[in-house]
Amino acid sequence: MNKNDIAQFRKQFKVNNDLLKINEIFHVYIMKESSEIYHQESLPFDLLEDEQKELFLDNFKKVLTGQLDQKLFELKFQRDVENNSQLILHQGMLTNDTEEWKNHMLQLVEKMLKDKQYEMDVVVTFIRGEYMKPMKRNEEAEESERDTVYSHPFILCSMNKTQDPKKELLFDYVEKAFKYNIVVDPIINLKAPISGFLFPSITDHAADVNHVLYSSGKANEPDYHFIEEVLNAEEIVTAEEDKLVFEEVVKKVAGDQINTSTLSNVYEEIHRVVEENEEEDTPKLDYKDVENVLKMSGVKDVNTEKVETAFKTVIDDENYELKANNVVPKYSSKSIKIKTKVADISIGPQDLRYVRQVELNGKRCLMIEVEENAVIEGFEMIPEALFRKADEDEEEGETDHK
């Protein structure tokens, strides 16, 4: 799934939407002390009040929210795994029997509990339903875009932690008295899912049962136990890890120090590759592509052997491919952070070429080229000329002359 597929699916999670039918919802409450199921409950989703539906729909939208390779990961199922989750999910999606569906989902819950101790009580919620995606409208055709739709059955899972209720002071209007509110029931935090997944992966108009969309609780912090032992999926590389590999490879080839103009060229070259492939799958960079990028960016003494060796040294795999989106900063925001002891500065990658580190009178300075006067706290700064004191220069000249 690309970001557009995910966004289209996520926006369907609203009450009374005819393009999304949720058949059943199934809750499983897990105790932290024993890692055992304390309670389970299943009911048709339509039986919930609209307010309840909104709570859960908002929760599911959060499961599907985040950047790819940072918080959302499209995973490929492992092959030849005993009691594999791909088969469990596929069977659960196809069955029309509620008890059979619940049993399949409980098999997944058992995997979640195996060799895992949670720090708090956890609620696992499953829904199964159908996503109707309209065909792209043909401008010459008379029928509405909703006359023909693609039907996508799916299962979506959300894991949510519980928290202790807040201790509050209440005022009773009837008795005209202040009362201490005592609540012992734990609160299920539906605002911040700690994990989840969508099966199958849906790309454009096709369902892909060989892939599952996994959601982590925090960016760049996937739960590898969940990925490998619960979903039985293959290993992943986060965007942060991809970026670190790229940075280390560049350092091996170009050295630890690089000027801002060259770095700006590197980012622009990769950004160009991303934009040219925007409608296709995420473009990837192997060692040959990285070699071309560095050469085009003005890095000196770059050759194939040097870059290939760098890949072997950093990642121990000369055939490793970096996702271009992961290694280039976002061009739509001030994504580059320059940190100094005096100040922290944020700029966009396209403006990096206007920043220089220079030596001035024996001191290291950060120089930023600007087209207009800078404004600080509402005051416009006065341009200042940089010079050495003339009298000092004259005195030095007279001393040399003597």
Side-chain angles (χ1 to χ4, degrees), residues 1 23 47 63 67 75 82 98 100 152 175 213 266 288 291 298 334-335 345 358 367 385 390:
M1 295 181 79
N23 301 317
L47 291 184
V63 171
Q67 297 292 322
L75 310 176
E82 187 179 348
T98 298
E100 187 178 345
H152 297 295
E175 297 184 12
L213 186 70
V266 170
K288 293 178 182 177
E291 178 192 351
K334 295 181 178 180
S335 54
I345 301 167
V358 299
M367 183 176 72

Side-chain angles (χ1 to χ4, degrees), residues 112 159 195-197 214 223-231:
M112 295 176 192
M159 290 185 70
S195 191
F197 64 85
Y214 162 72
D223 184 340
Y224 292 100
H225 172 270
F226 195 94
I227 291 170
E228 295 169 19
E229 302 300 328
V230 178
L231 295 177

Side-chain angles (χ1 to χ4, degrees), residues 136-142:
K136 291 182 179 179
R137 175 180 289 180
N138 185 343
E139 294 182 0
E140 297 179 0
E142 293 183 0

Side-chain angles (χ1 to χ4, degrees), residues 76-93 103-109 111 114 197 199 209-212 226-234:
K76 186 177 181 179
F77 288 108
Q78 297 178 42
R79 296 288 185 186
D80 303 321
V81 176
E82 187 179 348
N83 190 32
N84 71 81
S85 295
Q86 180 183 14
L87 181 59
I88 294 171
L89 285 165
H90 198 231
Q91 291 174 336
M93 185 178 68
N103 287 334
H104 286 307
M105 296 306 101
L106 287 172
Q107 283 182 268
L108 293 174
V109 173
K111 289 189 173 190
K114 185 179 179 182
F197 64 85
F199 175 84
V209 295
N210 293 315
H211 287 84
V212 59
F226 195 94
I227 291 170
E228 295 169 19
E229 302 300 328
V230 178
L231 295 177
N232 303 136
E234 294 182 353

